[in-house]
Amino acid sequence: AQTVTQSQPEMSVQEAETVTLSCTYDTSESDYYLFWYKQPPSRQMILVIRQEAYKQQNATENRFSVNFQKAAKSFSLKISDSQLGDAAMYFCAYRSAGNQFYFGTGTSLTVIP
Amino acid sequence: ETGVTQTPRHLVMGMTNKKSLKCEQHLGHNAMYWYKQSAKKPLELMFVYNFKEQTENNSVPSRFSPECPNSSHLFLHLHTLQPEDSALYLCASSQEGILEQYFGPGTRLTVT
């Protein structure tokens, strides 16, 4: 089975600064999808950004961007100009071509005013 | 109401009680999921329903019983739970052709 590893249980960043959250995954598939989800203290999990493995270009959504290294099986999330509202648990997720989803253990991000 | 809703948001039950969690999605999706979220663990997929048919059951104990009467509603029936079953239970939905899942707010379950 695929595994998703987030090696940083907790991270903190100063407001307006940049932070990078790490994620690695293990798979033998060539076709898959990767996601970063955000879970604020209210608990509703929402999608931040997604990346199709067949695309070489890194996905970007406003202040959020990823560094997708397919050969290294690495999928990090960069948050630029961090805001207080970015404080949350961030989960890295993998979706196989067969529609199986796998999640990491999460990284708790604190934004310091 | 839009998105994925779950009721109740909080539930405290004794080990001998029977209760049910409800999930409803208003997105027209055809797949629904139950996850268990415990601290410091990856989300654990419990059940998957595609077009109302159960396609996944990841060795979940029989004290958890899912029901999917239609593609918009999903239930998780609980009976004779154990304290280690205390967790946040998340419901999600997805649609073929759409890559990501959409999550509900979860039910915080405490088994006493």
Side-chain angles (χ1 to χ4, degrees), chain A residues 37 44-45 99 101 103, chain B residues 3-6 22-27 29-36 43-50 68 71-74 89-95 100-107:
Chain A
Y37 282 90
Q44 188 115 28
M45 191 103 69
N99 200 32
F101 285 86
F103 287 79
Chain B
V4 181
T5 58
Q6 290 185 244
K22 179 182 176 182
C23 175
E24 186 173 358
Q25 58 97 359
H26 309 267
L27 300 168
H29 291 173
N30 58 14
M32 297 185 76
Y33 310 76
W34 278 118
Y35 286 92
K36 178 183 179 183
L43 265 68
E44 300 174 47
L45 179 64
M46 301 175 71
F47 300 103
V48 180
Y49 278 84
N50 273 298
C68 189
S71 58
S72 299
H73 294 85
L74 184 64
Y89 289 83
L90 292 171
C91 174
S93 69
S94 69
Q95 173 69 26
E100 61 269 20
Q101 292 179 317
Y102 291 77
F103 285 85
T107 295

